[in-house]
Amino acid sequence: MGRIYLLHKPYQVLCQFTDDRGRATLADHLAVPGVYAAGRLDYDSEGLLLLTDDGGLIHRISDPRHKLAKRYWVQVEGAPDDAALAALARGVTLKDGPTRPARVRRLDGPPPAPRDPPVRFRRDIPTTWLEIELREGRNRQVRRMTAHIGHPTLRLVRVAIGPWQLGELAPGAWRSERLNLPTAPAPGRARTRRRR
């Protein structure tokens, strides 16, 4: 049985363990040897990052062919109307082609805790929190999608990857979970099919 580590990556932390420019990295928050991030999260994004030493699991989590759902809470500038949200849900055409359909809704509950440093406040321009769930992972995709409908992303927090949830983890905090991965049959023992 292996382990997977769930880290709440803070804002302005690189998704790697070293940096020659002195920026904050994962090593500032997680001191577990031999683990690697399963996928990435931009320097200016926050939220759930999964790490493990299991290369096969990293591939299953990060490869878009496996269509593992990733859910984000996104603060956008302005107040998108129903038509704009429907466009996101259907898929929009970006420079690298059309996006797959997504699940999109306005968030009704309280917003996430304030970020440090906070998002720039502008009294005359409202903001809206959306929940967006994707099953693909292009570079800065959520930000490009919301900009496409005229509502730039101000803040982005990933709250779930497949069955793994950010939950109550504070920025910079982490927890580990044991994995019950299926094992291969013992060498020399072929599986037999039961006749029906």
Side-chain angles (χ1 to χ4, degrees):
M1 287 191 286
R3 284 198 169 274
I4 190 164
Y5 297 84
L6 289 74
L7 170 69
H8 185 157
K9 187 192 89 65
Y11 178 65
Q12 292 186 339
V13 170
L14 286 175
C15 235
Q16 57 197 46
F17 283 92
T18 60
D19 181 56
D20 55 9
R21 293 167 49 190
R23 293 171 292 182
T25 69
L26 300 178
D28 297 310
H29 302 283
L30 182 71
V32 177
V35 296
Y36 299 91
R40 301 193 62 80
L41 195 55
D42 294 330
Y43 181 69
D44 54 353
S45 298
E46 312 157 62
L48 182 61
L49 185 68
L50 302 177
L51 302 100
T52 180
D53 62 356
D54 184 325
L57 180 60
I58 289 173
H59 177 73
R60 288 196 299 276
I61 292 169
S62 58
D63 192 324
R65 287 178 296 180
H66 296 294
K67 298 184 176 70
L68 197 63
K70 297 176 178 70
R71 194 163 70 245
Y72 302 86
W73 288 351
V74 187
Q75 185 181 20
V76 298
E77 189 175 275
D81 60 17
D82 290 345
L85 298 187
L88 288 179
R90 283 193 308 271
V92 295
T93 301
L94 305 175
K95 287 184 180 178
D96 54 355
T99 63
R100 291 179 181 159
R103 287 184 57 241
V104 182
R105 69 180 183 95
R106 291 181 189 86
L107 280 178
D108 300 324
R115 187 185 75 191
D116 182 25
V119 171
R120 184 166 61 104
F121 174 72
R122 292 193 286 180
R123 187 176 55 196
D124 299 331
I125 300 178
T127 66
T128 304
W129 279 95
L130 305 175
E131 183 176 83
I132 300 177
E133 184 176 287
L134 304 176
R135 291 184 179 269
E136 59 182 331
R138 303 186 204 179
N139 186 42
R140 298 182 72 80
Q141 180 174 344
V142 171
R143 294 177 187 277
R144 292 191 292 142
M145 288 172 68
T146 65
H148 183 86
I149 62 163
H151 296 278
T153 292
L154 302 173
R155 188 176 172 200
L156 188 148
V157 182
R158 185 161 63 196
V159 295
I161 302 172
W164 294 284
Q165 310 271 335
L166 184 64
E168 299 298 320
L169 277 179
W174 60 271
R175 71 177 183 269
S176 69
E177 295 181 3
R178 190 171 298 280
L179 293 169
N180 293 314
L181 299 175
T183 56
R189 293 183 62 194
R191 285 185 178 166
T192 57
R193 267 192 195 166
R194 199 187 317 173
R195 291 187 178 179
R196 295 188 178 189

